[in-house]
Amino acid sequence: MSKAVLKTICKCGKGGQYSWSLFFFKIDKRNKQPYKMFKVRFKKADYLTTYAFNLIETVEKFQIEPISDVQDYDGENSKVSCDKIELSNQLISEQWTLFTEAVASATDSKANGKINGYIVYGQPLNEDSKPITLVKVANPITKLTNKKSVIFTTTASDELELMSDDVCRLYLTTDFIVFGGTMYTFNHTFETIFNLEKTMAKVKNDAIEEILSTNAFSDPEEFKTLAGKYKSTRTFITLKEERVNRIKDKRSRKRVAEMLKLPLDNNGEFNITKPEEASLLLRYLCFKIFQDNETMDVLEANTVNKLNLA
């Protein structure tokens, strides 16, 4: 997918047709509602407007320009692309709903203690436009005087005075942008704040059950045990239904077994008894392994994207 969509978001944000708000957030995963939001007030409204404009301009120049394209999130960001994931995706839908609910009920009180990050939210003044949300996962509150340095300020009488106040530092980078029902991520930071580790565990279990439903295994319980021990839960995000359906049929299953050199029993079912055998099949079904039609070599890749050559 072209990165033009990201440039469009930046163009909208710099167009001056947004009312901007800033929220600090804290996360406590022990609570049913893990997010707590604090709306931040500015002495002058144009401080935030100017910051939002500079933020978007810098993000466009230093985060969007260097990337090659926008790809569907598969857990393996190539560092030269931006991942996108729909807010309705089961990986983040529940946590995103809680996140937005927390914004709607944000308090005006001061946030005490460590802050996990902040949100720069643009509400469109034109009803035909869409909101823009930029999220940075970093504590914006900084102590100037610490173990590494001591900060002084100059008084009216040109004397140095110790400055021990906390200051707010807002970065000119973002971790992800939300626009029009889609999240565009420049790194995997969102996985932590939206607790994807827990959600991915469920995705893994569901994927294993779907694979087992093919009735393609001589010993389903053995495969289930071996698949359950597969360490990378990210792999299961890209489970391909087409490939799962392929192993339902005995003839296509045989071709898969021959390609991966996996054993079949007399009934043409996978006789998988080793972790490495289970790993091969899982990576194949999750589109991490494929065969080159020219050389017939079996190849592995973390990210594979279909090119539109029409």
Side-chain angles (χ1 to χ4, degrees):
M1 179 180 178
S2 170
K3 65 181 181 182
V5 62
L6 293 172
K7 291 189 173 183
T8 299
I9 295 172
C10 293
K11 183 178 179 181
C12 292
K14 294 189 295 183
Q17 297 301 309
Y18 282 83
S19 173
W20 295 96
S21 301
L22 178 69
F23 300 88
F24 292 166
F25 65 84
K26 301 177 70 173
I27 305 173
D28 187 344
K29 294 178 182 178
R30 297 170 298 179
N31 299 331
K32 187 175 181 181
Q33 168 52 284
Y35 308 106
K36 187 171 180 59
M37 299 286 173
F38 303 84
K39 188 169 185 178
V40 182
R41 298 184 297 274
F42 285 79
K43 187 172 184 178
K44 293 184 179 180
D46 62 349
Y47 287 165
L48 180 55
T49 302
T50 301
Y51 166 67
F53 181 91
N54 291 336
L55 171 62
I56 292 172
E57 192 168 55
T58 307
V59 166
E60 181 178 23
K61 183 176 181 180
F62 295 105
Q63 291 188 260
I64 295 175
E65 283 296 341
I67 66 173
S68 58
D69 54 13
V70 177
Q71 302 176 358
D72 288 326
Y73 172 72
D74 62 3
E76 301 289 347
N77 189 293
S78 65
K79 305 301 182 186
V80 294
S81 68
C82 173
D83 288 342
K84 71 181 181 74
I85 181 170
E86 300 303 313
L87 299 179
S88 58
N89 190 300
Q90 65 169 324
L91 287 171
I92 62 169
S93 59
E94 183 179 347
Q95 294 296 307
W96 176 253
T97 298
L98 291 171
F99 197 69
T100 55
E101 287 175 351
V103 172
S105 59
T107 176
D108 287 327
S109 61
K110 181 181 178 181
N112 295 314
K114 183 180 178 180
I115 297 167
N116 295 104
Y118 58 91
I119 305 167
V120 181
Y121 176 72
Q123 177 65 39
L125 301 177
N126 184 338
E127 62 181 16
D128 294 329
S129 299
K130 301 171 183 177
I132 299 175
T133 305
L134 300 101
V135 181
K136 181 67 178 177
V137 183
N139 188 351
I141 304 301
T142 302
K143 288 186 178 295
L144 291 180
T145 297
N146 50 50
K147 294 180 179 179
K148 294 183 178 180
S149 62
V150 179
I151 305 297
F152 295 90
T153 185
T154 304
T155 66
S157 56
D158 202 25
E159 296 175 327
L160 293 181
E161 182 179 3
L162 183 65
M163 187 175 182
S164 58
D165 295 340
D166 292 348
V167 297
C168 177
R169 177 179 60 181
L170 300 179
Y171 295 84
L172 290 174
T173 59
T174 189
D175 290 316
F176 60 88
I177 301 172
V178 176
F179 184 80
T182 305
M183 181 184 297
Y184 300 92
T185 74
F186 296 97
N187 51 51
H188 286 156
T189 308
F190 80 101
E191 293 179 353
T192 301
I193 67 171
F194 294 132
N195 202 20
L196 257 68
E197 183 178 353
K198 180 179 179 181
T199 311
M200 283 183 183
K202 183 179 184 304
V203 169
K204 176 182 176 179
N205 291 334
D206 290 346
I208 293 173
E209 290 300 325
E210 184 176 347
I211 295 169
L212 288 170
S213 71
T214 61
N215 297 316
F217 303 91
S218 58
D219 189 341
E221 287 303 316
E222 176 67 12
F223 177 78
K224 184 175 182 179
T225 299
L226 293 172
K229 293 178 180 178
Y230 187 85
K231 291 184 177 181
S232 176
T233 53
R234 293 175 187 268
T235 299
F236 296 88
I237 297 172
T238 51
L239 180 71
K240 295 292 181 182
E241 186 175 354
E242 176 191 355
R243 291 194 169 189
V244 173
N245 290 334
R246 198 174 295 172
I247 66 171
K248 289 181 180 179
D249 178 77
K250 283 193 175 183
R251 284 190 295 181
S252 57
R253 185 189 308 152
K254 183 178 179 181
R255 289 196 294 271
V256 172
E258 289 173 349
M259 179 182 69
L260 299 177
K261 294 183 170 43
L262 294 175
L264 296 174
D265 65 11
N266 293 333
N267 294 320
E269 297 174 342
F270 287 119
N271 184 26
I272 292 178
T273 59
K274 300 176 182 177
E276 53 270 27
E277 294 171 346
S279 174
L280 271 174
L281 183 59
L282 289 173
R283 284 179 285 149
Y284 168 78
L285 295 174
C286 295
F287 214 56
K288 304 298 183 186
I289 290 178
F290 54 96
Q291 190 168 46
D292 187 322
N293 285 335
E294 294 182 352
T295 65
M296 302 309 292
D297 290 335
V298 178
L299 309 173
E300 180 175 13
N302 287 327
T303 301
V304 179
N305 295 288
K306 184 178 180 180
L307 298 178
N308 183 6
L309 301 178

